[in-house]
Amino acid sequence: MTEAAAKDYTGFTAQEFEQKTIAADGTTVVNLYYTRNSYTLTFNDGYNNVKSDSVLYEAPLNTYSSYIPPVPSAYEPGSVRFDGWYLNPECSGAEYKLNEHIMPADNVLLY
């Protein structure tokens, strides 16, 4: 019998496969296939998660770059201005520009 083993690849999961009896002429092949994983991209308005999507590993995030959340109910419309997405609830540090990123092998929560 073959002793094929799936390798670990970031962002992918090996599909099930079967070992095979090794042919005398050495032509036995065991095909291993991998599925690209999906991770969750969540947008939080500082109070609640307002949008959440399942995104494939390494998919460009530029399709979300124009998403602007509705004004949180704690504010009057027009009293606040959306100024970008950040990786922390304080909205400090560098802005997370979606058109410059691909989906990592982990969930992403933006504020």
Coordinates of all heavy atoms in Angstrom, one line a residue, residues 1-73:
M1 N 0.8 -1.2 0.0 CA 0.0 0.0 0.0 C 0.9 1.2 0.0 O 2.0 1.2 0.5 CB -0.9 0.0 1.2 CG -2.0 -1.1 1.3 SD -3.2 -1.0 0.0 CE -4.2 0.3 0.5
T2 N 0.3 2.3 -0.6 CA 1.0 3.6 -0.6 C 1.0 4.1 0.8 O 0.2 3.7 1.6 CB 0.3 4.6 -1.6 OG1 -1.0 4.7 -1.2 CG2 0.4 4.1 -3.0
E3 N 1.9 5.1 1.0 CA 1.9 5.8 2.3 C 1.9 7.3 2.1 O 2.6 8.1 2.6 CB 3.2 5.4 3.0 CG 3.2 4.0 3.5 CD 4.5 3.6 4.3 OE1 5.3 4.5 4.6 OE2 4.6 2.4 4.5
A4 N 1.0 7.7 1.2 CA 0.8 9.1 0.8 C 0.3 9.9 2.1 O -0.4 9.3 2.9 CB -0.2 9.3 -0.3
A5 N 0.8 11.1 2.2 CA 0.4 11.9 3.3 C 0.2 13.4 2.8 O 1.0 13.9 2.0 CB 1.5 11.9 4.4
A6 N -0.9 13.9 3.3 CA -1.2 15.3 2.9 C -0.2 16.3 3.6 O 0.2 16.0 4.7 CB -2.6 15.7 3.3
K7 N 0.2 17.3 2.9 CA 1.1 18.3 3.4 C 0.2 19.4 4.0 O -1.0 19.6 3.6 CB 2.0 18.9 2.4 CG 3.0 17.9 1.9 CD 3.9 18.5 0.8 CE 4.9 17.5 0.3 NZ 5.8 18.1 -0.6
D8 N 0.8 20.2 4.9 CA 0.1 21.4 5.5 C 0.4 22.6 4.6 O 1.5 22.9 4.4 CB 0.5 21.6 6.9 CG 0.0 20.6 7.9 OD1 -1.1 20.0 7.6 OD2 0.6 20.3 8.9
Y9 N -0.7 23.2 4.2 CA -0.5 24.5 3.4 C -1.4 25.5 4.1 O -2.6 25.3 4.3 CB -1.0 24.3 2.0 CG -0.1 23.4 1.1 CD1 -0.5 22.1 0.8 CD2 1.2 23.8 0.7 CE1 0.3 21.3 0.1 CE2 2.0 23.0 0.0 CZ 1.6 21.7 -0.3 OH 2.4 20.9 -1.1
T10 N -0.9 26.6 4.4 CA -1.6 27.7 5.1 C -2.8 28.1 4.2 O -2.7 28.3 3.0 CB -0.7 29.0 5.2 OG1 0.4 28.6 6.1 CG2 -1.5 30.1 5.9
G11 N -4.0 28.1 4.8 CA -5.2 28.5 4.1 C -5.9 27.5 3.3 O -6.9 27.7 2.6
F12 N -5.4 26.2 3.4 CA -6.0 25.1 2.6 C -6.2 23.9 3.5 O -5.5 23.7 4.5 CB -5.1 24.7 1.5 CG -5.0 25.8 0.4 CD1 -4.0 26.8 0.5 CD2 -5.8 25.7 -0.7 CE1 -3.9 27.7 -0.4 CE2 -5.7 26.7 -1.7 CZ -4.7 27.7 -1.5
T13 N -7.2 23.1 3.2 CA -7.5 21.9 3.9 C -7.5 20.7 2.9 O -8.1 20.8 1.9 CB -8.9 21.9 4.6 OG1 -8.9 23.0 5.5 CG2 -9.2 20.6 5.3
A14 N -6.7 19.7 3.3 CA -6.6 18.5 2.4 C -7.9 17.8 2.4 O -8.6 17.6 3.5 CB -5.5 17.6 2.9
Q15 N -8.4 17.3 1.2 CA -9.6 16.5 1.1 C -9.2 15.0 1.5 O -8.0 14.7 1.4 CB -10.1 16.6 -0.3 CG -10.7 17.9 -0.6 CD -11.2 18.0 -2.1 OE1 -11.3 17.0 -2.7 NE2 -11.5 19.2 -2.5
E16 N -10.2 14.3 1.8 CA -9.9 12.9 2.1 C -9.4 12.1 0.9 O -9.8 12.5 -0.3 CB -11.1 12.2 2.7 CG -11.5 12.6 4.0 CD -12.6 11.8 4.7 OE1 -12.8 10.6 4.3 OE2 -13.4 12.4 5.5
F17 N -8.5 11.2 1.1 CA -8.0 10.4 0.0 C -7.8 8.9 0.4 O -7.8 8.7 1.6 CB -6.7 11.0 -0.6 CG -5.6 11.0 0.4 CD1 -4.7 10.0 0.4 CD2 -5.5 12.0 1.3 CE1 -3.6 10.0 1.3 CE2 -4.4 12.1 2.2 CZ -3.5 11.0 2.2
E18 N -7.6 8.0 -0.5 CA -7.4 6.6 -0.1 C -6.0 6.2 -0.6 O -5.6 6.6 -1.7 CB -8.5 5.8 -0.8 CG -9.9 6.0 -0.3 CD -10.9 5.1 -0.9 OE1 -10.5 4.0 -1.5 OE2 -12.1 5.4 -0.8
Q19 N -5.4 5.4 0.3 CA -4.2 4.7 -0.1 C -4.5 3.7 -1.2 O -5.6 3.2 -1.2 CB -3.5 4.1 1.1 CG -3.2 5.1 2.2 CD -2.2 6.1 1.9 OE1 -1.4 6.0 0.9 NE2 -2.1 7.2 2.7
K20 N -3.5 3.4 -2.0 CA -3.7 2.4 -3.1 C -2.7 1.3 -3.0 O -1.6 1.5 -2.5 CB -3.6 3.1 -4.5 CG -4.7 4.1 -4.7 CD -4.6 4.7 -6.1 CE -5.7 5.7 -6.3 NZ -5.6 6.3 -7.7
T21 N -3.0 0.2 -3.6 CA -2.1 -0.9 -3.7 C -1.0 -0.5 -4.8 O -1.4 0.0 -5.8 CB -2.8 -2.2 -4.1 OG1 -3.7 -2.5 -3.1 CG2 -1.8 -3.4 -4.3
I22 N 0.2 -0.7 -4.5 CA 1.3 -0.3 -5.4 C 1.4 -1.3 -6.5 O 1.5 -2.5 -6.3 CB 2.6 -0.2 -4.7 CG1 2.5 0.9 -3.6 CG2 3.7 0.1 -5.7 CD1 3.7 1.0 -2.7
A23 N 1.2 -0.8 -7.7 CA 1.3 -1.7 -8.9 C 2.7 -2.1 -9.1 O 3.7 -1.4 -8.8 CB 0.8 -0.9 -10.2
A24 N 2.9 -3.3 -9.7 CA 4.2 -3.9 -9.9 C 5.1 -3.0 -10.8 O 6.3 -3.0 -10.7 CB 4.1 -5.3 -10.4
D25 N 4.4 -2.4 -11.8 CA 5.2 -1.6 -12.7 C 5.4 -0.1 -12.3 O 6.0 0.7 -13.0 CB 4.4 -1.5 -14.1 CG 3.1 -0.8 -14.0 OD1 2.7 -0.3 -12.9 OD2 2.4 -0.8 -15.0
G26 N 5.0 0.2 -11.0 CA 5.3 1.5 -10.4 C 4.5 2.6 -10.9 O 4.8 3.8 -10.7
T27 N 3.4 2.3 -11.6 CA 2.5 3.4 -12.1 C 1.4 3.9 -11.2 O 0.6 4.7 -11.6 CB 1.8 2.9 -13.4 OG1 1.0 1.8 -13.1 CG2 2.9 2.5 -14.5
T28 N 1.5 3.5 -10.0 CA 0.4 3.9 -9.0 C 0.6 5.4 -8.7 O 1.7 5.9 -8.4 CB 0.5 3.1 -7.7 OG1 0.5 1.7 -8.0 CG2 -0.6 3.4 -6.7
V29 N -0.6 6.1 -8.7 CA -0.6 7.5 -8.4 C -1.7 7.7 -7.4 O -2.8 7.2 -7.5 CB -0.9 8.3 -9.7 CG1 -1.1 9.8 -9.3 CG2 0.2 8.1 -10.7
V30 N -1.4 8.4 -6.3 CA -2.4 8.9 -5.3 C -2.5 10.4 -5.5 O -1.5 11.1 -5.3 CB -2.0 8.5 -3.9 CG1 -3.0 9.0 -2.9 CG2 -1.8 7.0 -3.8
N31 N -3.7 10.8 -5.9 CA -3.9 12.3 -6.1 C -4.5 12.8 -4.8 O -5.4 12.3 -4.2 CB -4.9 12.5 -7.2 CG -4.3 12.2 -8.5 OD1 -3.2 12.6 -8.9 ND2 -5.1 11.4 -9.3
L32 N -3.9 13.9 -4.3 CA -4.3 14.6 -3.1 C -4.8 16.0 -3.6 O -4.2 16.7 -4.4 CB -3.2 14.8 -2.1 CG -2.9 13.6 -1.3 CD1 -2.1 12.6 -2.1 CD2 -2.1 14.0 -0.1
Y33 N -6.0 16.4 -3.1 CA -6.6 17.6 -3.5 C -6.9 18.5 -2.2 O -7.1 17.9 -1.2 CB -8.0 17.4 -4.2 CG -7.8 16.7 -5.5 CD1 -7.9 15.3 -5.6 CD2 -7.4 17.4 -6.7 CE1 -7.7 14.6 -6.8 CE2 -7.2 16.7 -7.9 CZ -7.4 15.3 -8.0 OH -7.2 14.7 -9.1
Y34 N -6.8 19.8 -2.4 CA -7.0 20.7 -1.3 C -8.1 21.7 -1.6 O -8.3 22.1 -2.7 CB -5.7 21.5 -1.1 CG -4.5 20.6 -0.7 CD1 -3.8 19.8 -1.6 CD2 -4.2 20.5 0.7 CE1 -2.8 19.0 -1.2 CE2 -3.2 19.7 1.1 CZ -2.5 18.9 0.1 OH -1.4 18.1 0.5
T35 N -8.8 22.0 -0.5 CA -9.9 23.0 -0.6 C -9.4 24.3 0.0 O -8.8 24.3 1.1 CB -11.1 22.5 0.2 OG1 -11.5 21.3 -0.3 CG2 -12.2 23.5 0.1
R36 N -9.6 25.4 -0.7 CA -9.2 26.7 -0.1 C -10.2 27.1 1.0 O -11.4 27.0 0.9 CB -9.3 27.8 -1.2 CG -8.8 29.1 -0.8 CD -8.9 30.1 -2.0 NE -8.0 29.7 -3.1 CZ -6.8 30.1 -3.4 NH1 -6.2 30.9 -2.5 NH2 -6.1 29.6 -4.4
N37 N -9.7 27.5 2.2 CA -10.5 27.8 3.3 C -11.1 29.2 3.2 O -10.6 30.0 2.5 CB -9.7 27.8 4.6 CG -9.1 26.4 4.9 OD1 -9.6 25.4 4.5 ND2 -8.0 26.4 5.7
S38 N -12.2 29.3 3.9 CA -12.9 30.6 4.0 C -12.7 31.1 5.4 O -12.7 30.3 6.4 CB -14.4 30.5 3.7 OG -14.5 30.3 2.3
Y39 N -12.6 32.4 5.6 CA -12.5 33.0 6.9 C -13.5 34.2 6.9 O -14.0 34.7 5.9 CB -11.1 33.5 7.1 CG -10.1 32.4 7.1 CD1 -9.4 32.1 5.9 CD2 -9.9 31.7 8.2 CE1 -8.5 31.0 5.9 CE2 -9.0 30.6 8.2 CZ -8.3 30.3 7.0 OH -7.4 29.2 7.0
T40 N -13.8 34.6 8.1 CA -14.9 35.7 8.3 C -14.3 37.1 8.4 O -13.3 37.3 9.1 CB -15.7 35.4 9.6 OG1 -16.2 34.1 9.5 CG2 -16.8 36.4 9.7
L41 N -14.8 37.9 7.5 CA -14.5 39.3 7.5 C -15.7 40.1 8.2 O -16.8 40.0 7.7 CB -14.3 39.9 6.1 CG -14.1 41.4 5.9 CD1 -12.8 41.8 6.7 CD2 -14.0 41.7 4.5
T42 N -15.4 40.7 9.3 CA -16.5 41.4 10.1 C -16.2 42.9 10.2 O -15.1 43.3 10.5 CB -16.7 40.8 11.5 OG1 -16.9 39.3 11.3 CG2 -17.8 41.4 12.3
F43 N -17.3 43.7 10.0 CA -17.2 45.1 10.2 C -18.0 45.5 11.4 O -19.2 45.1 11.6 CB -17.8 45.8 8.9 CG -17.0 45.5 7.7 CD1 -17.4 44.4 6.9 CD2 -16.0 46.4 7.3 CE1 -16.7 44.2 5.7 CE2 -15.3 46.1 6.1 CZ -15.6 45.0 5.3
N44 N -17.4 46.3 12.3 CA -18.0 46.7 13.6 C -18.1 48.2 13.6 O -17.1 48.9 13.3 CB -17.2 46.1 14.7 CG -17.9 46.4 16.1 OD1 -17.9 47.6 16.5 ND2 -18.4 45.4 16.7
D45 N -19.2 48.8 13.9 CA -19.4 50.2 13.9 C -19.0 50.9 15.3 O -19.3 52.0 15.5 CB -20.8 50.6 13.5 CG -21.8 50.2 14.6 OD1 -21.5 49.7 15.6 OD2 -23.0 50.4 14.3
G46 N -18.4 50.1 16.1 CA -18.0 50.6 17.4 C -19.0 50.2 18.5 O -18.7 50.3 19.7
Y47 N -20.1 49.7 18.1 CA -21.2 49.2 19.0 C -21.6 47.8 18.7 O -21.8 47.0 19.5 CB -22.4 50.1 18.9 CG -22.1 51.5 19.4 CD1 -21.7 52.5 18.5 CD2 -22.2 51.9 20.7 CE1 -21.5 53.8 18.9 CE2 -21.9 53.1 21.2 CZ -21.5 54.1 20.2 OH -21.2 55.4 20.7
N48 N -21.8 47.5 17.4 CA -22.3 46.2 16.9 C -21.5 45.8 15.6 O -21.0 46.6 14.9 CB -23.8 46.3 16.6 CG -24.6 46.7 17.8 OD1 -24.7 46.0 18.8 ND2 -25.2 47.8 17.7
N49 N -21.5 44.5 15.4 CA -21.1 44.0 14.1 C -22.2 44.3 13.1 O -23.3 43.9 13.3 CB -20.8 42.5 14.2 CG -19.6 42.1 15.1 OD1 -18.8 43.0 15.3 ND2 -19.5 40.9 15.5
V50 N -21.9 45.0 12.1 CA -22.9 45.5 11.1 C -22.8 44.7 9.8 O -23.8 44.8 9.0 CB -22.8 47.0 10.9 CG1 -23.1 47.8 12.2 CG2 -21.4 47.4 10.4
K51 N -21.8 44.0 9.6 CA -21.7 43.2 8.3 C -20.6 42.1 8.6 O -19.6 42.4 9.2 CB -21.2 44.1 7.1 CG -21.1 43.4 5.8 CD -20.7 44.4 4.7 CE -20.6 43.7 3.4 NZ -21.8 43.5 2.7
S52 N -20.9 41.0 8.0 CA -20.0 39.8 8.2 C -20.1 39.0 6.9 O -21.2 38.6 6.5 CB -20.4 39.0 9.4 OG -19.3 38.5 10.1
D53 N -19.0 38.7 6.3 CA -19.0 37.8 5.1 C -17.9 36.7 5.3 O -16.9 36.9 5.9 CB -18.7 38.6 3.9 CG -19.9 39.4 3.3 OD1 -21.0 39.1 3.7 OD2 -19.7 40.3 2.5
S54 N -18.2 35.6 4.6 CA -17.2 34.5 4.5 C -16.4 34.8 3.2 O -17.0 35.0 2.2 CB -18.0 33.2 4.4 OG -17.0 32.2 4.3
V55 N -15.1 34.9 3.4 CA -14.2 35.2 2.3 C -13.1 34.2 2.1 O -12.5 33.7 3.1 CB -13.6 36.6 2.5 CG1 -12.7 37.0 1.4 CG2 -14.6 37.7 2.8
L56 N -12.9 33.8 0.9 CA -11.9 32.8 0.6 C -10.5 33.3 0.9 O -10.2 34.5 0.7 CB -11.9 32.3 -0.8 CG -13.1 31.4 -1.2 CD1 -13.1 31.2 -2.7 CD2 -13.0 30.1 -0.5
Y57 N -9.6 32.4 1.4 CA -8.2 32.8 1.7 C -7.6 33.3 0.4 O -7.8 32.8 -0.7 CB -7.5 31.5 2.1 CG -6.0 31.6 2.2 CD1 -5.4 32.5 3.1 CD2 -5.2 30.9 1.4 CE1 -4.0 32.6 3.2 CE2 -3.8 31.0 1.5 CZ -3.2 31.9 2.4 OH -1.9 32.0 2.5
E58 N -6.9 34.4 0.6 CA -6.2 35.1 -0.5 C -7.1 35.9 -1.5 O -6.6 36.4 -2.4 CB -5.2 34.2 -1.2 CG -4.0 33.7 -0.4 CD -3.0 32.9 -1.1 OE1 -3.4 32.2 -2.1 OE2 -1.8 33.1 -0.8
A59 N -8.4 35.9 -1.2 CA -9.2 36.7 -2.1 C -9.0 38.2 -1.9 O -8.8 38.6 -0.7 CB -10.7 36.4 -1.8
P60 N -8.9 39.0 -2.9 CA -8.7 40.4 -2.7 C -9.9 41.0 -1.9 O -11.0 40.7 -2.1 CB -8.7 41.0 -4.2 CG -8.6 39.8 -5.1 CD -9.1 38.6 -4.3
L61 N -9.6 42.0 -1.1 CA -10.6 42.6 -0.2 C -11.1 43.9 -0.8 O -11.9 44.6 -0.2 CB -10.1 42.8 1.2 CG -9.8 41.5 2.0 CD1 -9.2 41.8 3.3 CD2 -11.0 40.6 2.0
N62 N -10.6 44.3 -2.0 CA -11.0 45.5 -2.6 C -12.5 45.7 -2.9 O -13.0 46.8 -3.0 CB -10.1 45.8 -3.9 CG -10.4 44.8 -5.0 OD1 -10.8 43.6 -4.7 ND2 -10.0 45.1 -6.2
T63 N -13.2 44.5 -3.0 CA -14.6 44.6 -3.3 C -15.4 45.2 -2.0 O -16.5 45.6 -2.2 CB -15.2 43.2 -3.6 OG1 -14.9 42.3 -2.5 CG2 -14.6 42.7 -4.8
Y64 N -14.7 45.3 -0.9 CA -15.3 45.9 0.3 C -14.8 47.3 0.5 O -15.3 47.9 1.5 CB -14.9 45.0 1.5 CG -15.5 43.6 1.5 CD1 -14.7 42.6 0.9 CD2 -16.8 43.3 1.9 CE1 -15.2 41.3 0.9 CE2 -17.3 42.1 1.8 CZ -16.5 41.0 1.3 OH -17.0 39.8 1.2
S65 N -13.9 47.8 -0.3 CA -13.3 49.1 0.0 C -14.3 50.3 -0.1 O -14.1 51.3 0.5 CB -12.2 49.4 -1.0 OG -12.7 49.4 -2.3
S66 N -15.5 50.1 -0.7 CA -16.4 51.2 -0.7 C -17.5 51.0 0.3 O -18.4 51.9 0.4 CB -17.1 51.3 -2.1 OG -17.8 50.1 -2.4
Y67 N -17.4 50.0 1.1 CA -18.5 49.8 2.2 C -18.3 50.8 3.3 O -17.3 50.9 3.9 CB -18.4 48.4 2.7 CG -19.4 48.1 3.9 CD1 -20.7 48.2 3.6 CD2 -18.9 48.0 5.2 CE1 -21.6 48.0 4.7 CE2 -19.8 47.8 6.2 CZ -21.2 47.9 6.0 OH -22.1 47.7 7.0
I68 N -19.4 51.5 3.5 CA -19.5 52.5 4.6 C -20.7 52.0 5.5 O -21.8 51.9 4.9 CB -19.7 53.9 4.1 CG1 -18.5 54.3 3.3 CG2 -19.9 54.9 5.3 CD1 -18.6 55.7 2.6
P69 N -20.5 51.8 6.8 CA -21.6 51.4 7.6 C -22.6 52.4 7.8 O -22.3 53.6 7.7 CB -20.9 51.0 8.9 CG -19.8 52.0 9.0 CD -19.3 52.1 7.5
P70 N -23.9 52.0 8.2 CA -24.8 53.0 8.6 C -24.4 53.7 9.9 O -23.6 53.2 10.6 CB -26.1 52.2 8.8 CG -25.8 50.8 8.8 CD -24.4 50.7 8.2
V71 N -24.9 54.9 10.1 CA -24.6 55.7 11.3 C -25.1 54.9 12.5 O -26.3 54.6 12.5 CB -25.1 57.1 11.2 CG1 -24.9 57.9 12.5 CG2 -24.5 57.9 10.1
P72 N -24.3 54.6 13.5 CA -24.8 54.0 14.7 C -26.0 54.7 15.3 O -26.0 56.0 15.3 CB -23.6 53.9 15.6 CG -22.4 54.1 14.8 CD -22.9 54.9 13.6
S73 N -26.9 54.0 15.9 CA -28.1 54.6 16.5 C -27.8 55.6 17.6 O -28.6 56.5 17.9 CB -29.1 53.6 16.9 OG -28.5 52.8 17.9

